[in-house]
């Protein structure tokens, strides 16, 4: 790099680091010199930042041609190709990067993520393990491997991986949130859980670079209440199915609604939320410090977090953004955050005697905490498939992460007790042969032949997904982490769901849903009763036939689809809190 090129490089790099990508591109475009490999790399990154993705890839191709042994050129070409949706080119040059630099954690990790996106789960897992052999202290590889293990019903192994990441980087609050999220998929004692949640809050106080805001001087003016909701799921997502009608029915004479959307890829559902809100803010590009400041500056009376520890934003609320903070819907446990004031819930999933477990004060929504918004174009329920098949088909459309070893043993027991029956499992992860083999091995160890298992993966549309419920006679709820959306979907499609009452929020969701609809008979209180009830229901085909046509009407006429009810109770709680 000669003096002229170096001067251009330094100037462009300054613009790049400041986020002024178009200015950086202009500097490079106007340079009258030949570019070295390093300058071409910078040129490509600046073009990408300016949104010129094809041109960016072209510059990186030139860089790798100029210096084939430069691993930075190879990595950045792979990275930009990945960003541009060219998986084949990304894979080629991530592998080239690893060949040139066997300790490049980013190349291992990004390629593993590519493989997972393509449902090449075995390759992704193997690459993570290979990367960790080369770079044992890579937190990003530990995160990715932990996610793969969790998603394939190996939460016990994932928890060890996440805890290893926490030891390596105690300041990374996201790693600690992964521990908390993963614990929901296992049978964990209250004492152990409380210890972990308190550790998260203490780590946040110690390591967060966000100053805590003092709202002690705040007094509600008595005017219209300004209420904000934060979510990364204002899109086609389970949370949206339960929030759309609630936000729609908020009383705009008393409440002014702001939505803080962390959605990276908007869709039609995002558009509907945008139209419903008084103020809609896309915050997906902000880091935690910027987001905390942004929400604080809106001077809200109250904010409701809909994510909990499912994302990386809990730090934002742990340092406070509003005088009143609540958590609701998106996370089946306490936040553990001392600055989270209230938790919106119901008295079945969180009965009054569990209040000491939560760091938040519990606020109950009478009639249940959910208001399901069914798809208006949902297909009509078909007759139960056993009428045509001659055998009963059990089913679960839940994420595999929710299926514990105890779940598999219990479901295998049902299949053994009900001759010729089948079990249909539907999950995105089941597109992978590797994951299907993992599932098959669970049941074969319990004495159930693979021929009795049916696997379905992702459906292209919600409509096609709902049609798949026509292939099952009776839904089975996993434990210790129950389904929510899948249970409501099943009921809407005429499929009753058998659930096991647990001893925490995640394990009592099915009980709350089914018992409020008057179906206590579908709530078992022990694993033995769960198997026994499934066998009993299988012997009553006329009941399944009758429910097939009745369930949609029962659900539609219940409080479970009444967003106005839920909105009203949330509003009454807030009015009382702010008035007091």
């Amino acid at each position: 790099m000669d003096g002229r090129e170096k001067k251009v490089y330094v100037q462009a790099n300054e613009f790049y680091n400041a986020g002024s990508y178009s200015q950086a591109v202009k500097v490079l475009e106007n340079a009258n010199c030949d570019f070295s490999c390093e300058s071409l790399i910078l040129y490509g990154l600046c073009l990408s930042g300016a949104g010129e993705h094809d041109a960016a890839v072209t510059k990186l191709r030139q860089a790798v041609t100029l210096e084939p042994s430069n691993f930075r050129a190879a990595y950045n070409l792979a990275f930009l190709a990945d960003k541009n949706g060219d998986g084949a080119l990304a894979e080629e040059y991530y592998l080239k990067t690893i060949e040139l630099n066997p300790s490049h954690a980013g190349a291992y990790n990004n390629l593993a993520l590519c493989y997972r996106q393509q449902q090449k789960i075995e390759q992704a897992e193997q690459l993570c393990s290979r990367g960790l052999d080369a770079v044992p202290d890579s937190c990003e590889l530990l995160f990715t491997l932990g996610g793969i293990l969790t998603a394939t019903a190996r939460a016990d192994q994932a928890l060890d991986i996440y805890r290893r990441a926490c030891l390596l980087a105690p300041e990374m609050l996201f790693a600690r949130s992964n521990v908390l999220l993963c614990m929901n998929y296992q049978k964990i004692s209250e004492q152990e859980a409380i210890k972990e949640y308190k550790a998260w809050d203490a780590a946040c106080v110690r390591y967060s670079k966000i100053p805590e805001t003092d709202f002690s001087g705040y007094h509600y003016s008595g005017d219209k209440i300004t209420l904000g909701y934060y979510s990364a799921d204002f899109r086609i997502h389970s949370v949206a199915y339960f929030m759309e009608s609630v936000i729609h029915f908020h009383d705009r004479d008393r409440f002014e609604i702001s939505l803080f959307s962390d959605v990276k890829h908007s869709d039609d559902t995002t558009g509907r939320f945008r139209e419903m809100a008084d103020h809609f803010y896309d915050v997906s590009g902000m880091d935690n410090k910027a987001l905390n400041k942004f929400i604080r500056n809106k001077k809200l009376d109250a904010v409701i977090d809909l994510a909990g520890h499912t994302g990386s934003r809990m730090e934002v609320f742990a340092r406070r953004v509003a005088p009143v903070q609540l958590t609701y819907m998106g996370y089946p446990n306490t936040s553990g955050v001392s600055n989270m004031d209230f938790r919106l819930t119901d008295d079945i999933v969180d009965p009054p005697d569990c209040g000491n477990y939560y760091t938040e004060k519990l606020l109950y929504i009478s009639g249940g905490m959910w208001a399901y918004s069914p798809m208006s174009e949902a297909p009509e329920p078909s007759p139960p498939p056993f009428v045509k098949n001659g055998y009963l088909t059990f089913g679960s459309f839940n994420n595999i992460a929710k299926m514990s070893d105890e779940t598999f043993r219990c479901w295998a027991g049902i299949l053994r007790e009900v001759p010729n029956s089948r079990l249909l499992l539907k999950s995105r992860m089941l597109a992978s042969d590797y994951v299907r083999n993992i599932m098959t091995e669970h049941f074969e160890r319990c004495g159930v032949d693979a021929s009795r298992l049916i696997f379905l993966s992702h459906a292209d549309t919600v409509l096609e997904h709902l049609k798949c419920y026509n292939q099952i006679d009776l839904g089975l709820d996993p434990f210790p982490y129950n389904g929510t959306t899948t249970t409501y979907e099943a009921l809407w499609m005429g499929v009753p769901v058998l659930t096991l009452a647990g001893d925490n929020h995640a394990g009592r969701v099915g009980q709350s849903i089914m018992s409020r609809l008057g179906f206590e008979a579908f709530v078992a209180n022990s694993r033995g009763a769960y198997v026994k009830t499934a066998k009993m229901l299988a012997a009553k085909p006329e009941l399944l036939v009758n429910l097939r046509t009745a369930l949609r009407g029962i659900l539609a006429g219940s409080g479970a689809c009444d967003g106005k009810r839920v909105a009203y109770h949330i509003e009454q709680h807030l009015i009382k809190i702010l008035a007091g």
Side-chain angles (χ1 to χ4, degrees):
M1 189 181 294
D2 61 25
R4 181 182 179 83
E5 183 190 358
K6 187 172 183 180
K7 183 178 179 180
V8 170
Y9 181 94
V10 169
Q11 186 180 5
N13 196 48
E14 287 177 353
F15 280 124
Y16 177 78
N17 289 332
S20 301
Y21 305 117
S22 296
Q23 288 293 100
V25 169
K26 286 180 181 178
V27 169
L28 293 161
E29 283 178 343
N30 294 330
N32 188 19
C33 60
D34 293 329
F35 286 131
S36 65
C37 182
E38 290 302 316
S39 293
L40 287 168
I41 293 171
L42 177 61
Y43 205 160
L45 293 173
C46 292
L47 285 165
S48 178
E52 300 180 44
H53 303 300
D54 291 339
V57 170
T58 297
K59 291 300 178 187
L60 265 299
R61 282 185 181 275
Q62 293 174 11
V64 297
T65 300
L66 191 62
E67 286 190 25
S69 62
N70 188 313
F71 73 85
R72 289 188 66 252
Y75 175 74
N76 281 290
L77 175 55
F79 180 80
L80 293 184
D82 190 1
K83 190 175 180 181
N84 211 23
D86 190 340
L89 184 63
E91 180 179 4
E92 178 184 354
Y93 279 92
Y94 280 137
L95 290 171
K96 183 66 175 177
T97 303
I98 292 168
E99 177 188 328
L100 295 171
N101 183 358
S103 297
H104 199 296
Y108 286 109
N109 186 68
N110 290 353
L111 182 54
L113 290 172
C114 283
Y115 284 153
R116 179 173 175 176
Q117 182 66 27
Q118 299 165 20
Q119 296 302 322
K120 298 178 180 178
I121 307 302
E122 184 174 18
Q123 294 94 317
E125 185 177 334
Q126 290 174 346
L127 194 67
C128 286
S129 297
R130 179 182 161 196
L132 286 166
D133 286 341
V135 197
D137 59 350
S138 170
C139 285
E140 60 182 344
L141 278 168
L142 289 169
F143 292 151
T144 300
L145 179 57
I148 292 168
L149 293 170
T150 302
T152 51
R154 290 174 286 173
D156 54 340
Q157 297 176 44
L159 189 56
D160 291 338
I161 292 290
Y162 287 140
R163 282 178 168 154
R164 180 175 156 191
C166 288
L167 290 174
L168 288 168
E171 76 285 358
M172 295 185 70
L173 299 175
F174 180 61
R176 293 178 178 272
S177 285
N178 280 337
V179 169
L180 300 178
L181 178 61
C182 190
M183 286 169 57
N184 291 301
Y185 299 111
Q186 301 176 71
K187 187 75 172 177
I188 300 290
S189 70
E190 279 195 1
Q191 292 76 16
E192 184 180 355
I194 290 169
K195 179 181 177 182
E196 291 284 3
Y197 280 98
K198 287 183 177 179
W200 191 98
D201 198 35
C204 184
V205 172
R206 180 175 181 181
Y207 294 113
S208 178
K209 293 181 172 58
I210 303 173
E212 183 176 4
T213 305
D214 181 8
F215 287 97
S216 59
Y218 163 83
H219 295 286
Y220 171 53
S221 66
D223 295 331
K224 185 181 287 191
I225 294 171
T226 54
L227 171 62
Y229 284 94
Y230 163 82
S231 180
D233 301 319
F234 292 132
R235 56 189 174 89
I236 295 180
H237 185 275
S238 297
V239 168
Y241 298 150
F242 297 100
M243 287 309 304
E244 194 168 344
S245 64
V246 173
I247 292 171
H248 171 77
F249 280 112
H250 269 310
D251 180 355
R252 299 310 169 90
D253 291 333
R254 296 293 309 272
F255 286 82
E256 183 177 321
I257 305 298
S258 295
L259 301 184
F260 299 90
S261 174
D262 217 350
V263 175
K264 290 181 172 57
H265 302 289
S266 299
D267 56 24
D268 291 343
T269 301
T270 312
R272 291 197 299 274
F273 278 106
R274 184 186 297 273
E275 291 174 2
M276 282 190 290
D278 295 301
H279 309 283
F280 186 94
Y281 305 104
D282 181 353
V283 299
S284 59
M286 299 180 187
D287 63 22
N288 282 353
K289 189 172 184 179
L291 179 57
N292 176 279
K293 182 178 180 180
F294 184 82
I295 300 178
R296 275 192 288 113
N297 286 344
K298 299 306 173 187
K299 301 187 184 306
L300 301 170
D301 294 311
V303 66
I304 298 177
D305 166 49
L306 299 174
H309 289 282
T310 61
S312 60
R313 299 298 205 177
M314 185 50 69
E315 178 188 9
V316 171
F317 304 99
R319 309 308 288 160
R320 273 208 184 275
V321 295
V324 177
Q325 298 193 144
L326 308 90
T327 183
Y328 175 49
M329 186 64 68
Y331 187 69
N333 216 317
T334 181
S335 67
V337 170
S338 55
N339 275 334
M340 190 64 76
D341 306 303
F342 301 99
R343 175 177 175 80
L344 292 160
T345 184
D346 72 48
D347 59 358
I348 294 181
V349 284
D350 289 315
D353 61 3
C354 75
N356 291 334
Y357 169 77
Y358 288 96
T359 57
E360 309 89 355
K361 181 179 178 180
L362 300 181
L363 301 177
Y364 291 124
I365 297 174
S366 179
M369 63 179 286
W370 301 281
Y372 178 58
S373 297
M375 182 184 182
S376 58
E377 301 86 7
E380 289 297 318
S382 70
F386 77 81
V387 174
K388 177 180 67 176
N389 295 335
Y391 55 81
L392 200 86
T393 302
F394 300 98
S396 174
F397 289 10
N398 286 276
N399 289 332
I400 289 171
K402 295 185 176 183
M403 300 174 191
S404 63
D405 286 345
E406 281 298 310
T407 306
F408 294 126
R409 282 194 283 270
C410 209
W411 289 354
I414 291 171
L415 292 175
R416 290 195 303 268
E417 288 292 322
V418 183
N420 300 317
S421 60
R422 306 289 191 274
L423 174 64
L424 187 156
L425 301 179
K426 181 181 180 296
S427 170
R428 181 184 295 271
M429 296 294 287
L430 289 169
S432 163
D433 289 339
Y434 178 61
V435 178
R436 290 197 293 271
N437 288 337
I438 290 174
M439 296 296 102
T440 299
E441 288 169 4
H442 275 294
F443 286 94
E444 288 182 337
R445 282 196 295 270
C446 297
V448 173
D449 190 77
S451 63
R452 299 182 68 185
L453 304 175
I454 304 166
F455 297 129
L456 297 178
S457 59
H458 178 66
D460 291 335
T461 66
V462 177
L463 183 62
E464 291 301 317
H465 167 72
L466 292 174
K467 286 180 180 178
C468 293
Y469 282 98
N470 290 331
Q471 300 181 46
I472 61 177
D473 297 292
L474 177 63
L476 298 179
D477 205 9
F479 54 87
Y481 197 143
N482 297 165
T484 306
T485 306
T486 49
T487 297
Y488 279 111
E489 286 176 343
L491 295 172
W492 193 253
M493 293 303 298
V495 180
V497 178
L498 175 62
T499 190
L500 173 64
D503 53 11
N504 60 12
H505 179 109
R508 287 191 287 254
V509 171
Q511 178 185 5
S512 179
I513 295 170
M514 297 304 291
S515 61
R516 290 188 192 282
L517 291 172
F519 293 110
E520 291 87 353
F522 288 82
V523 180
N525 292 313
S526 69
R527 292 175 181 82
Y530 188 96
V531 175
K532 184 178 179 180
T533 303
K535 182 179 180 181
M536 179 270 292
L537 292 169
K540 294 185 175 180
E542 70 285 350
L543 174 63
L544 298 178
V545 170
N546 292 336
L547 286 174
R548 201 73 169 198
T549 55
L551 276 175
R552 181 172 293 189
I554 293 171
L555 183 57
S558 73
C561 292
D562 187 357
K564 189 173 184 178
R565 170 188 61 83
V566 174
Y568 172 80
H569 284 290
I570 293 174
E571 290 168 358
Q572 292 306 303
H573 282 305
L574 288 169
I575 290 168
K576 183 177 180 180
I577 291 165
L578 292 169

